[in-house]
Amino acid sequence: MNNAKKKIGTYIQSIDVAFQTCLITANYGNGKTNLLKYLKLFFSENKKIKVVFLRVNADQYDLILFLLKIIQDNFFEELRSSILKIKSDNYDISSLAYSFQDGFAAIREYTEKLFAEQDEDKLSKLIYLGTGRLYTKNSFNEFALEQLTNFNRREILVLFLNILSANNTYIIFGIDEAEKIQEKSKPRFGHFLTSYRELYDLSSLIKGHLLITCFTDSSGRSSQSIEEVNPAFFRRIEDRIVELPMISNINDYKELAQNLNELFDTNKSSEDINKIVAIIKKKELNKNSDIVKAICSELSESSERLGLNELLNKYSLEYLFNETNERLHLENTFARLNTKFFDPLKEYLIANNYNNDDYEIKAQGNQLFIDKSLNINHLFLFTTDFDNNVNRIVNIYNDYDNKLIIYVPEGLDINYSYLHEININNVEIVDYNPEYLMTLLVMYRDENFEYGDQIKLTISLYTNKNL
């Protein structure tokens, strides 16, 4: 969200100069509401800047009237005290209402009454006449005023916002779920955008404040639909549309996982974080909120590593595993295992959202799976020939800058201590049985649908969450 925060930050920097506005668009779960909450939290101790956010009212689709209602419900005391202070300071009240030029001439008498009133209860009634809470002819007759219409509320909103600004009170309005009006009806949405355009056209007369309006954009067409319904408004707001994208960069995944690890004090190592990122990225989740939940779930998992028999028992896979393993023996599949292993591995990777650009398999000679998306080399050893395997490890290590994961079969005494002695670092060892891992991969390939998730989880845990 760095780009979005930077752009919104520029608006906040001018919050005491001119009225600012922007539209935030994002898919469900990508952080619109969180952004508003964090703004409220950020300014919670600030005496000058007030943040209020709420969901749009689909039945109140005039934005001007909606903002007046927000002021009435949330900033009534600030507005009344500001009027009293301005009056005591002999402030030029005409400057609050564009010197009563053009459409502001219609609210001159009302504004003068507002600042002339001495009685606080009557002053409250006058404010309610402005917001529209009191609207009958008799209510206006009490003050010998001509009845205001909703058309006049545009100028009243400018007046009230300028009164607050004059007392160094600035509001960030966060309007969430504006798409609800669009869902209700196209005419309502059109009226909403028209009132938004009218407010934008008055913005040069308002000394401060910020309006942030959020649209959920599940189809990726929010900007297009705004342009179609109200092209005049779209032209005005086009450069003020802020998109909140999906998390996609690997470094952003890592930063998020590291921050959550610190926040929840789960004490995962950088190695653990990298594995969690690899697991989550493969899921291809389509909401930022789902990514956060998935990372939290992985962080909270116990680090205890179970053996294969325990995993098979835990996920009720013993019978299927034994049946598949026996069949593979009968079919002589494990003969020349090193050449047959990579076919089910490739199908497993494809089934788990690896694209052609994400990986490369070098089955002949190297017996290597290269994860390009994470810069990790997976080297599979199949024999207990110590010297030959060490030569392969050294060659692969020298040929690539990637992290190296070595799958070491039972009976082959290659350990971290020895690898460090020969200057092999940035490496992880996974102890495994090649026949057993291939059996699991074949089980997954054979489309045992009712056990698919259990098999996938078993493969992941058996390989120390590397596959």
Side-chain angles (χ1 to χ4, degrees), residues 7 10-11 21-23 200 233-242:
K7 194 166 186 177
T10 62
Y11 301 141
T21 184
C22 69
L23 292 179
Y200 184 89
F233 172 68
F234 181 77
R235 285 194 299 271
R236 289 166 169 80
I237 205 75
E238 185 176 6
D239 64 343
R240 291 177 170 267
I241 296 176
V242 180

Side-chain angles (χ1 to χ4, degrees), residues 337-449:
L337 174 62
N338 60 319
T339 62
K340 299 174 183 175
F341 175 86
F342 291 94
D343 286 336
L345 174 62
K346 181 178 180 179
E347 293 184 48
Y348 176 79
L349 296 174
I350 293 172
N352 286 282
N353 300 316
Y354 274 93
N355 300 315
N356 289 333
D357 295 334
D358 293 336
Y359 76 98
E360 181 181 359
I361 288 179
K362 295 187 174 183
Q364 298 300 321
N366 288 332
Q367 295 164 352
L368 187 68
F369 149 48
I370 303 172
D371 189 329
K372 295 179 180 179
S373 63
L374 297 173
N375 296 321
I376 296 174
N377 288 350
H378 298 254
L379 175 61
F380 295 90
L381 307 180
F382 295 97
T383 72
T384 54
D385 185 331
F386 185 86
D387 291 335
N388 185 47
N389 281 321
V390 169
N391 287 334
R392 287 180 57 216
I393 292 170
V394 171
N395 290 336
I396 295 298
Y397 185 79
N398 290 333
D399 287 345
Y400 298 90
D401 293 328
N402 294 349
K403 174 188 174 181
L404 180 60
I405 298 174
I406 307 171
Y407 297 78
V408 178
E410 299 165 355
L412 179 59
D413 189 21
I414 291 180
N415 54 45
Y416 287 107
S417 178
Y418 175 77
L419 292 175
H420 291 160
E421 284 179 14
I422 61 174
N423 296 317
I424 303 292
N425 302 300
N426 193 23
V427 64
E428 179 180 351
I429 293 174
V430 176
D431 296 313
Y432 85 125
N433 182 309
E435 289 188 6
Y436 292 169
L437 181 53
M438 183 166 180
T439 301
L440 292 170
L441 292 170
V442 171
M443 287 165 58
Y444 193 83
R445 182 187 65 183
D446 286 349
E447 297 182 346
N448 295 288
F449 295 115

Side-chain angles (χ1 to χ4, degrees), residues 137-152:
K137 191 169 184 179
N138 286 338
S139 297
F140 283 91
N141 286 341
E142 181 181 345
F143 296 93
L145 285 171
E146 185 178 343
Q147 191 174 13
L148 295 172
T149 67
N150 282 345
F151 183 77
N152 304 128

Side-chain angles (χ1 to χ4, degrees), residues 204-222:
S204 62
L205 306 180
I206 303 172
K207 300 177 181 65
H209 310 287
L210 170 62
L211 170 64
I212 300 174
T213 311
C214 296
F215 282 85
T216 297
D217 190 7
S218 57
S219 65
R221 294 186 67 255
S222 275

Side-chain angles (χ1 to χ4, degrees), residues 91-100 158-159 162 166 205 207:
Y91 197 93
D92 177 14
I93 63 171
S94 68
S95 66
L96 303 172
Y98 192 45
S99 300
F100 303 117
V158 173
L159 171 66
N162 281 337
L205 306 180
K207 300 177 181 65

